[in-house]
Amino acid sequence: MTETVNIELNYGFNGTFQCEIPSERLIHYHQAPAGIDDVASRMKQVLNSPLELPPLDLAVVPGDKITIAVDYQAPAAAEIINSVWDYFSDCGIEAGDVTILQTSSESSMLQEKLKAAVNSELQEQASWVIHAPDSKEEVGYLGTSAGGERIYLSRHLLEADFILPIEKVGFDPLIGYAGGGSSIYPGFSSQEAIIKSRGQSHRELTPAESRPLRQLIDEIGWMLGLQYSLQVIPAGGQSVSEIVFGSLEATFRKAKQLLDEYWKLEPEYKSEMIVIAVEDGPTGHQWNQLGSVLETARNLVAQDGRIVLLTQIDSALGEGLQILSRCHEPLDAIKPLRDSQPGDLLAATQMALTGDWALICLLSRVSSDEVEDLFVIPLEDEAEVQRLLQTDETVSVIASAQYAYGQLKQG
């Protein structure tokens, strides 16, 4: 009898897909790492033993103005903030001297959800600030980069005595690895800087290879004098696999190693079909999650193969996807996307490029007509996914693909 592999994939808000695939057809099956059961306990450990820096209580004194810069994509952000506050409170810091700074990428609902989940002292006494990048009163001049670029940042960063970034570490098509200060810039800069940072993914580069924007982020961290940093590596869904604390450089270096270990896929061969599950995350479940997912799919599926996306996306199309939906062929969208630089530029570009490379099939809650306009085949239910798998095609499977990066094994 043919041996089979049992597959179980969580997707969307509450979906679970199960199937069996003959082992001889399965090229690669990537599962999410286990999550930390007790985030508070883990936080106590890391806060008491920072990497390459003295204990945190030597860096802050009562009366210091402290800004906690929160990456809205970091899982378990509320639990992490609570642990940080417990530590600061023991150091004699007053809640009124703390600012919780978040980027304007969030909806007010996400901000209120975070605020409602933290310690009551912080809820009532800390300053809760959503950065306004288009406000001249909100940003100030930091300095000029080595490349001659004038850098502006939130005044809540410039005027703080102590800054603690809480960042999700992840693969990023534009800068290679997100984290290590990338939540500070361009997110807490000017609107001009945010728009300028948008662009195409560097498909020819691996995450570890240098990129100009990543170099600028590193320089800005140095200019700002960032010392301590909390880097969060995700597990599946909204859980955390690891937390690293210490100097910005040391934590980012360690976090990248862990990210590669948990989330980097390197199969030896491309498959004829790839099944990809995308889950609800800290920022919700929407089209923008599909940018990096589709890039990985395009790296790992054979030309004219099939990409099966398991989602429960029900959000409206962004400006970039609307541009794609009006085109006659997928690649016709590339130039107008570059010209307009919409907020969903990456997702729309990857949808166009991947749609030209392979056949995309999407399980979602979006109307079939809207999905078809994106050069994508709509799937009505899990039974259709099961039917697609009843072939002799080779298959790769990726769980929690919104966090993964895939490329063929080199050498």
Side-chain angles (χ1 to χ4, degrees):
M1 292 180 65
T2 302
E3 290 187 6
T4 61
V5 178
N6 293 318
I7 305 292
E8 182 169 330
L9 299 171
N10 296 323
Y11 69 93
F13 306 99
N14 56 14
T16 302
F17 176 75
Q18 296 177 318
C19 67
E20 293 184 2
I21 298 176
S23 57
E24 62 190 20
R25 289 175 49 206
L26 191 61
I27 297 290
H28 193 87
Y29 177 22
H30 183 269
Q31 296 169 279
I36 294 173
D37 292 328
D38 190 342
V39 171
S41 177
R42 180 61 181 150
M43 280 296 298
K44 285 183 181 178
Q45 293 174 14
V46 300
L47 288 173
N48 286 318
S49 53
L51 294 176
E52 297 186 6
L53 279 176
L56 183 56
D57 58 6
L58 298 179
V60 295
V61 296
D64 275 353
K65 300 297 183 183
I66 292 176
T67 294
I68 300 174
V70 184
D71 178 355
Y72 63 93
Q73 299 184 73
E79 293 171 272
I80 291 170
I81 290 171
N82 280 335
S83 294
V84 168
W85 167 241
D86 287 344
Y87 192 101
F88 282 151
S89 181
D90 288 344
C91 294
I93 302 297
E94 300 287 338
D97 288 330
V98 175
T99 296
I100 310 293
L101 181 63
Q102 299 167 269
T103 69
S104 58
S105 301
E106 299 145 272
S107 68
S108 59
M109 182 180 68
L110 283 173
Q111 185 203 22
E112 291 305 316
K113 183 179 178 182
L114 177 64
K115 188 174 181 179
V118 302
N119 184 287
S120 59
E121 284 183 277
L122 288 180
Q123 289 183 33
E124 298 162 7
Q125 299 175 39
S127 296
W128 289 79
V129 177
I130 292 286
H131 176 59
D134 52 357
S135 168
K136 291 183 178 179
E137 290 74 30
E138 281 288 312
V139 297
Y141 176 62
L142 171 66
T144 300
S145 71
E149 188 168 345
R150 291 175 63 85
I151 305 300
Y152 295 89
L153 289 177
S154 165
R155 294 190 184 278
H156 297 284
L157 295 171
L158 299 178
E159 297 169 4
D161 297 307
F162 183 88
I163 301 167
L164 181 63
I166 298 174
E167 301 184 295
K168 185 202 95 171
V169 179
F171 298 106
D172 188 285
L174 295 179
I175 60 175
Y177 291 96
S182 66
S183 66
I184 299 293
Y185 186 88
F188 293 120
S189 185
S190 63
Q191 187 67 26
E192 180 184 358
I194 292 171
I195 293 173
K196 186 178 178 181
S197 71
R198 295 174 185 163
Q200 311 298 320
S201 63
H202 296 275
R203 180 166 168 74
E204 73 283 2
L205 300 177
T206 65
E209 291 180 286
S210 180
R211 295 159 165 80
L213 181 55
R214 178 72 252 182
Q215 291 174 333
L216 180 60
I217 290 167
D218 294 342
E219 184 181 356
I220 289 169
W222 175 81
M223 292 168 67
L224 189 58
L226 287 179
Q227 292 182 303
Y228 291 83
S229 171
L230 263 167
Q231 305 286 302
V232 185
I233 297 93
Q238 301 193 43
S239 56
V240 173
S241 66
E242 191 52 272
I243 302 167
V244 189
F245 174 68
S247 78
L248 182 65
E249 183 178 341
T251 55
F252 192 39
R253 183 171 62 246
K254 178 64 174 177
K256 288 189 292 184
Q257 293 172 354
L258 291 168
L259 186 72
D260 283 351
E261 178 184 336
Y262 295 152
W263 289 108
K264 190 174 182 180
L265 293 65
E266 292 187 295
E268 294 189 17
Y269 310 103
K270 290 190 175 185
S271 56
E272 295 164 295
M273 182 189 303
I274 186 164
V275 179
I276 292 180
V278 181
E279 293 179 88
D280 176 37
T283 60
H285 186 46
Q286 18 68 21
W287 292 102
N288 268 341
Q289 287 181 303
L290 298 187
S292 59
V293 168
L294 289 168
E295 180 164 18
T296 286
R298 192 157 54 107
N299 286 343
L300 300 183
V301 75
Q303 189 167 11
D304 299 324
R306 282 192 280 192
I307 298 167
V308 181
L309 295 171
L310 305 179
T311 81
Q312 291 179 331
I313 291 173
D314 58 3
S315 57
L317 301 184
E319 180 187 348
L321 289 173
Q322 289 180 36
I323 290 172
L324 174 61
S325 71
R326 294 193 291 268
C327 293
H328 293 293
E329 297 291 339
L331 295 186
D332 292 346
I334 299 301
K335 186 178 185 303
L337 284 171
R338 286 175 178 161
D339 291 343
S340 61
Q341 296 284 304
D344 60 342
L345 172 64
L346 181 60
T349 300
Q350 286 300 340
M351 186 73 78
L353 293 173
T354 307
D356 182 66
W357 175 260
L359 194 64
I360 303 174
C361 305
L362 175 67
L363 179 64
S364 73
R365 294 176 176 175
V366 180
S367 74
S368 295
D369 288 344
E370 281 189 289
V371 172
E372 288 174 347
D373 286 344
L374 299 174
F375 309 96
V376 173
I377 297 173
L379 302 176
E380 297 299 325
D381 51 35
E382 290 182 7
E384 288 199 40
V385 180
Q386 294 281 8
R387 283 193 289 273
L388 287 175
L389 288 167
Q390 302 305 309
T391 69
D392 58 359
E393 293 176 318
T394 56
V395 184
S396 289
V397 179
I398 308 176
S400 304
Q402 67 275 12
Y403 299 131
Y405 169 79
Q407 63 182 28
L408 288 188
K409 192 172 183 178
Q410 304 297 308

